[in-house]
Amino acid sequence: MKRYLLLLIIIAASFFTGCATQQSKSAKPLKPVTGGPLDLRRFENITVLSFTDLSHNSDGILAGEQLANDVGERLQLDFPAVFTTTYVNKQQGQSNHVILTGTITTYRPGDAMARAMLIGTGSAGLEGTVIFRDGDNGQELMTAKFDKLWAWGGALGASKGITDMMSETAASIAVTAAKAKGWKPK
């Protein structure tokens, strides 16, 4: 019986961890809440600014800056030819660029040990909004939400945390921008 339970846990882990990825090119793009469909083909450059952190996180982590850095890094490394230049946390005054920013409303690292002991306890969460704006006139082009929750129990629950959720979110944001610019998977 224990073997069947272990097998079931492994299958469930494979299924649920396959729903999210930290690989930008295979990440699921964000869906627009306002604006959209997003079309960035006319923009040569992208400026990724720090996300406003409204989460009141007490870890001392600059989550908004970290998320912006992660998105910028993914755009530069995973999609190097999509935008001519990717600026991160530096407001650029040039024309023909899109500004990517947003807010983080929930940044909850949770507790991996608590998750390991009992499902639902010590859950980790990350929620917020991404905003794409025209750099010339400030017009909002699209707003999308991101929402990550990790509350599994046991070894699976301890295997993932807020860092993984930040990476998955950055991957989704980067692929959203790249696809809107015209990038297509090969």
Side-chain angles (χ1 to χ4, degrees), residues 52-123:
T52 303
D53 188 353
L54 303 175
S55 69
H56 308 294
N57 87 66
S58 59
D59 280 2
I61 302 292
L62 300 174
E65 187 175 321
Q66 180 183 340
L67 184 55
N69 288 335
D70 289 352
V71 171
E73 184 176 299
R74 288 184 177 280
L75 285 168
Q76 291 167 339
L77 296 176
D78 297 342
F79 307 103
V82 173
F83 292 96
T84 303
T85 308
T86 300
Y87 299 98
V88 181
N89 287 322
K90 296 177 190 163
Q91 181 73 41
Q92 297 302 311
Q94 71 206 39
S95 62
N96 201 18
H97 75 284
V98 63
I99 296 173
L100 188 162
T101 189
T103 58
I104 296 174
T105 54
T106 300
Y107 177 93
R108 187 178 58 254
D111 185 329
M113 286 302 289
R115 286 192 303 274
M117 294 189 174
L118 184 62
I119 190 169
T121 60
S123 65

Side-chain angles (χ1 to χ4, degrees), residues 11-175:
I11 291 170
S14 300
F15 174 76
F16 287 108
T17 56
C19 293
T21 181
Q22 296 179 27
Q23 303 301 316
S24 298
K25 292 182 178 181
S26 58
K28 187 176 179 181
L30 300 173
K31 293 183 180 174
V33 174
T34 62
L38 186 61
D39 183 357
L40 301 179
R41 289 177 290 180
R42 68 183 174 97
F43 297 101
E44 293 295 318
N45 306 299
I46 188 165
T47 299
V48 184
L49 298 176
S50 283
F51 285 59
T52 303
D53 188 353
L54 303 175
S55 69
H56 308 294
N57 87 66
S58 59
D59 280 2
I61 302 292
L62 300 174
E65 187 175 321
Q66 180 183 340
L67 184 55
N69 288 335
D70 289 352
V71 171
E73 184 176 299
R74 288 184 177 280
L75 285 168
Q76 291 167 339
L77 296 176
D78 297 342
F79 307 103
V82 173
F83 292 96
T84 303
T85 308
T86 300
Y87 299 98
V88 181
N89 287 322
K90 296 177 190 163
Q91 181 73 41
Q92 297 302 311
Q94 71 206 39
S95 62
N96 201 18
H97 75 284
V98 63
I99 296 173
L100 188 162
T101 189
T103 58
I104 296 174
T105 54
T106 300
Y107 177 93
R108 187 178 58 254
D111 185 329
M113 286 302 289
R115 286 192 303 274
M117 294 189 174
L118 184 62
I119 190 169
T121 60
S123 65
L126 180 67
E127 295 177 31
T129 304
V130 178
I131 302 167
F132 290 87
R133 293 188 186 281
D134 185 320
D136 290 333
N137 59 25
Q139 177 186 1
E140 188 177 294
L141 303 171
M142 186 187 91
T143 301
K145 292 198 178 283
F146 56 88
D147 184 358
K148 302 277 182 191
L149 173 66
W150 192 248
W152 286 95
L156 178 61
S159 70
K160 184 174 166 179
I162 193 72
T163 304
D164 302 297
M165 291 193 284
M166 289 282 279
S167 292
E168 292 167 3
T169 300
S172 290
I173 294 169
V175 79

